[in-house]
Amino acid sequence: EIVLTQSPGTLSLSPGEGATLSCRASQSVSGNHLAWYQQKPGQAPRLLIHDTSNRATGIPDRFSGSGSRTDFTLTINRLEPEDFAVYYCQQYGSLPRTFGQGTKVEIK
Amino acid sequence: EVQLVESGGGLVQSGGSLRLSCAASGFSFSTYWVAWVRQAPGKGLEWVANIGQDGNELYYVDSAKGRFTIYRDNAKSSLYLQMNSLRVEDTALYYCVTDQRGAFDYWGQGTLVTVSS
């Protein structure tokens, strides 16, 4: 099973700042099949990025993904008030599909 | 508009059973893989099971094998999860999701399963 470790656990930032979230895999993610999700309190998660760097439908271009093999990054440029949420990475290169434990982006 | 509406959650004693349902609309259900993902209260996300378009390919997380059964009825655009031998640690919000080659692109609002000891 691939274990995904996200860091930091919490990121305290102000609107307008940039955010860099990390997701490290315990072994190489096949095909770089890695996704990122955003979850706000009381809501279901929303797919942001799939296949490491492809934005899902309707996702603004301030969200970008990068990385390969075991190290992946979600970058959010110029945080908007609606971007403060919890972010999860997920690998789907092998079974079982696994998620990271999440990074909370909070308002400083 | 894609809609996934889960139902069937509730309070059950340890060792009991529940069947979750998910009614899908707004897309061609029979052409999609679909899955269940759960989230324990205040915790992260965990993939539980997924199923291929015709129902013949099934995969489960180890903790669900032998206890949970995922199945679908394409004529009714519905997904199900039969959960037997429930444990306290199965307590979670269960989401029905579409599975696009492994990334979960549409999510329902979830149905809460609470297993008491």
Side-chain angles (χ1 to χ4, degrees):
Chain A
E1 170 176 327
I2 295 179
V3 176
L4 299 178
T5 302
Q6 293 186 240
S7 61
T10 302
L11 205 46
S12 297
L13 296 166
S14 301
E17 291 191 292
T20 301
L21 286 66
S22 173
C23 177
R24 182 159 291 177
S26 60
Q27 53 189 283
S28 184
V29 176
S30 175
N32 290 329
H33 290 313
L34 188 112
W36 290 92
Y37 301 84
Q38 175 194 69
Q39 187 176 32
K40 298 178 183 179
Q43 296 185 18
R46 176 175 70 148
L47 177 66
L48 298 175
I49 301 284
H50 63 92
D51 291 321
T52 297
S53 59
N54 296 296
R55 277 187 299 277
T57 302
I59 302 302
D61 61 7
R62 64 179 181 274
F63 291 92
S64 63
S66 63
S68 67
R69 297 177 59 83
T70 61
D71 286 288
F72 300 87
T73 300
L74 174 69
T75 301
I76 312 172
N77 290 321
R78 300 179 307 280
L79 282 162
E80 298 284 343
E82 62 267 27
D83 298 337
F84 291 91
V86 178
Y87 293 84
Y88 295 95
C89 59
Q90 177 234 339
Q91 68 80 24
Y92 49 100
S94 61
L95 290 172
R97 313 278 176 76
T98 50
F99 290 87
Q101 83 280 15
T103 289
K104 182 179 181 181
V105 179
E106 65 176 21
I107 299 177
K108 186 175 181 180
Chain B
E1 179 193 5
V2 172
Q3 282 204 316
L4 299 164
V5 180
E6 303 93 337
S7 61
L11 176 62
V12 63
Q13 283 198 319
S14 179
S17 297
L18 275 178
R19 187 186 81 156
L20 306 184
S21 301
C22 171
S25 61
F27 66 105
S28 181
F29 180 76
S30 63
T31 66
Y32 276 68
W33 280 69
V34 280
W36 291 97
V37 173
R38 68 184 177 183
Q39 186 169 34
K43 302 297 184 182
L45 301 166
E46 180 181 40
W47 166 76
V48 176
N50 62 348
I51 185 169
Q53 292 100 323
D54 60 9
N56 290 331
E57 287 188 78
L58 315 171
Y59 301 97
Y60 298 90
V61 68
D62 280 353
S63 61
K65 290 176 183 175
R67 300 189 302 127
F68 293 3
T69 302
I70 187 171
Y71 62 103
R72 65 191 295 164
D73 185 338
N74 286 341
K76 296 182 178 179
S77 295
S78 293
L79 174 68
Y80 304 95
L81 185 68
Q82 177 66 44
M83 303 188 295
N84 299 329
S85 303
L86 281 161
R87 305 166 180 166
V88 171
E89 55 266 35
D90 294 319
T91 294
L93 188 62
Y94 284 72
Y95 293 104
C96 170
V97 301
T98 55
D99 182 342
Q100 277 290 9
R101 302 181 302 106
F104 305 126
D105 51 352
Y106 292 104
W107 297 63
Q109 286 305 303
T111 187
L112 182 63
V113 172
T114 303
V115 184
S116 66
S117 55

